[in-house]
Amino acid sequence: VKLYNADDPAPNPRRVRIFLKEKGLEIPFVPVSLAAREHKRPEFLARNSLGQVPVLELDDGSTLTESVSICRYLEELQPEPALFGVAAAERARIDMWLRRVEMRVMQPLGMVWVHAHPFTAAYLESQGHRQFKDFGESNLGVFAEACSWLDGEISGRPFIAGDRYSMADIVAQTTFDLGGAVGVDMPEACGHLRDWYARVSARPSAALDLSRFPVAVAREGLAKALR
Ligand SMILES: N[C@@H](CCC(=O)N[C@@H](CS)C(=O)NCC(=O)O)C(=O)O
């Protein structure tokens, strides 16, 4: 197998890399440059018609896309340590939190990124689309509300879905990593969430390499666009 991968802070390939480290698994990576639009070339579209990373290519040449599905597959191959849960209720609860984090927290962050961030504006235009700045900006509030909600939900438990670190933590963690890199921070008042984020970010699997991403320019660019 091999993983078509992209640099941090791209959150979706990062999910799979963190998952692999937590499992102690190593597989070859094929770097895909998002900046050079390599993920939209015909040879890449043949692997994922949506033109997105990550893609896991199996030994028979078939591919799996969708970061969470890739991790589920790897969990089947190597169940320990269990990151999708063991008992029925735990598995369902982790699944529930995966959906909640993706739909409630990642989604508004994605809308700020696509509709308000200067880094995505030129690309959208080149594709014949455009940003809806007000919509992007309004999602900042939706994101902040989602953070406050999650902050309340996790008070009194160490991890997103319960007592054990799980795939739900990985998906939430990579969401906030992207937010931090592009200028969308979790609210100061979210103390439980901040503590949780510090805890998961201290894990050996969490090393974030932003050396090839202009964080300061990205953060300033969003602040300026919102002024
Ligand atoms: N739901 C997909 C999302 C994949 C995704 O959005 N990947 C981003 C990088 S983090 C990407 O390839 N973006 C380029 C594009 O959508 O054109 C997953 O979880 O794998």
Side-chain angles (χ1 to χ4, degrees):
V1 295
K2 54 185 164 185
L3 183 77
Y4 289 81
N5 182 42
D7 287 340
D8 288 334
N12 298 290
R14 174 160 165 75
R15 293 172 178 180
V16 181
R17 291 198 310 276
I18 293 177
F19 184 90
L20 288 166
K21 283 195 192 141
E22 290 284 341
K23 290 278 186 185
L25 291 171
E26 277 186 31
I27 62 175
F29 293 157
V30 181
V32 177
S33 167
L34 300 183
R37 317 293 317 155
E38 285 176 359
H39 55 308
K40 301 301 180 193
R41 292 187 185 159
E43 61 272 24
F44 190 85
L45 293 174
R47 295 188 167 92
N48 178 3
S49 55
L50 287 175
Q52 293 184 321
V53 285
V55 172
L56 187 75
E57 190 166 279
L58 306 187
D59 290 339
D60 65 2
S62 65
T63 55
L64 291 173
T65 63
E66 297 298 331
S67 52
V68 175
S69 311
I70 290 169
C71 294
R72 275 190 207 282
Y73 169 75
L74 296 169
E75 175 110 338
E76 296 281 335
L77 299 186
Q78 181 171 313
E80 295 293 329
L83 295 174
F84 283 91
V86 178
E90 187 195 13
R91 289 171 75 91
R93 194 163 294 114
I94 290 168
D95 193 57
M96 171 182 116
W97 280 103
L98 281 169
R99 295 177 65 80
R100 288 176 145 195
V101 170
E102 287 203 294
M103 293 192 281
R104 298 273 167 172
V105 189
M106 181 71 194
Q107 177 76 5
L109 172 62
M111 291 300 100
V112 179
W113 172 238
V114 171
H115 284 288
H117 206 287
F119 279 23
T120 56
Y123 171 65
L124 269 192
E125 273 163 33
S126 76
Q127 300 301 299
H129 303 299
R130 68 181 177 92
Q131 287 189 321
F132 290 83
K133 274 279 198 53
D134 286 352
F135 173 71
E137 196 168 342
S138 77
N139 270 279
L140 273 178
V142 179
F143 175 78
E145 268 170 33
C147 290
S148 303
W149 162 75
L150 188 57
D151 182 69
E153 283 285 335
I154 65 167
S155 70
R157 65 174 189 257
F159 296 111
I160 299 286
D163 290 337
R164 274 208 273 185
Y165 178 85
S166 77
M167 188 67 200
D169 294 287
I170 296 176
V171 169
Q173 172 186 355
T174 52
T175 299
F176 294 116
D177 294 336
L178 172 68
V182 304
V184 184
D185 298 318
M186 59 177 77
E188 286 291 333
C190 293
H192 305 297
L193 203 52
R194 288 179 168 270
D195 289 351
W196 160 84
Y197 186 60
R199 210 158 40 243
V200 293
S201 299
R203 295 174 78 88
S205 62
L208 183 65
D209 178 6
L210 292 171
S211 59
R212 282 181 292 277
F213 186 78
V215 175
V217 180
R219 291 182 59 89
E220 248 170 58
L222 182 64
K224 222 162 142 190
L226 297 176
R227 239 177 250 149

